[in-house]
Amino acid sequence: MEFDLAGLAIMALALGAGAIVKGATGMGLPLVALPVLTTFFGLQHAVGLMCVPLIFTNAWQVWRFRKAGRDDRMAFLPLFLVGGAIGIGLGTWALTSLPERALVLTLGIILLCYVALRLAAPHFVVGPLLARRAGPLFGMGGGVLQGATGISAPIGVTFIHAMAMDREAHVFAVSAMFLLYSVVQLPALAVAGVMQGQWLIEGVMALLPILIFMPLGQAIASKLSRKAFDRMILIFLGLIGLKMVLGL
């Protein structure tokens, strides 16, 4: 499929904007870029194209914040990721079989309710014990959403954000989640007969604007306080929820 220079520029800007948000918050690349890519390519193509950028960027962030992986609060993460891997398989089936609007609407409402809860009760926190017990369920839910739509933040990031970790621990946990989801999603798409070789090549090409703009987001985040970072995540989650509810 061929596109004019204006279309390619728009896609590059979408990837660049997503990379800035990703560098600053540890998430946001698919949330910003996927709607634009879906407009040009369609959902299945866009999800497949994003696999390579998501694997690369999240592997880098896991390595960059690897010291946070030794934090005691990461005890929830292994079973959370196992649940996510199972969910990816279910979500990939849904991508090829089911309509997504009702699910996306429901998740958008849930996300907005979470943001409202954090604003009304800012000291609400998911503790370590609850995180270990509920982690597999939320990991699976995030995996289902990732497999079905290419976007897992409304469940996965919301759960991790509720644990109120500092920035480095937050980014490590979120990046580990996205990395696992993407690594599992790539072969799942191939088994489902969805993935095409050309999409992998396009994914490699998509790394160029991402590599240019992602360090800018990291520089911005380095100047934020813990409170400002928390507010940025809440604003971002709220915008995601509104987008889902309104179907934009």
Side-chain angles (χ1 to χ4, degrees), residues 98-227:
L98 300 176
E100 63 187 75
R101 178 55 191 153
L103 177 60
V104 170
L105 176 62
T106 301
L107 289 169
I109 293 172
I110 293 172
L111 190 53
L112 290 177
C113 288
Y114 168 74
V115 173
L117 174 64
R118 286 306 301 263
L119 292 175
H123 301 297
F124 168 78
V125 174
V126 172
L129 180 60
L130 178 58
R132 287 196 297 271
R133 290 177 175 176
L137 179 61
F138 280 87
M140 181 180 292
V144 169
L145 191 57
Q146 175 72 27
T149 68
I151 298 174
S152 58
I155 293 180
V157 173
T158 298
F159 178 75
I160 293 171
H161 180 257
M163 297 175 66
M165 295 185 283
D166 60 35
R167 177 179 178 267
E168 291 194 0
H170 175 94
V171 173
F172 176 85
V174 168
S175 299
M177 177 190 73
F178 286 139
L179 177 59
L180 183 280
Y181 285 176
S182 302
V183 167
V184 175
Q185 187 173 34
L186 182 57
L189 289 171
V191 171
V194 174
M195 180 59 75
Q196 299 180 21
Q198 179 65 29
W199 300 357
L200 296 177
I201 297 173
E202 292 167 353
V204 173
M205 295 172 60
L207 288 173
L208 180 59
I210 293 170
L211 291 174
I212 292 173
F213 286 99
M214 195 169 164
L216 177 59
Q218 293 170 345
I220 293 172
S222 66
K223 302 181 184 300
L224 294 176
S225 66
R226 175 67 184 87
K227 186 175 182 180

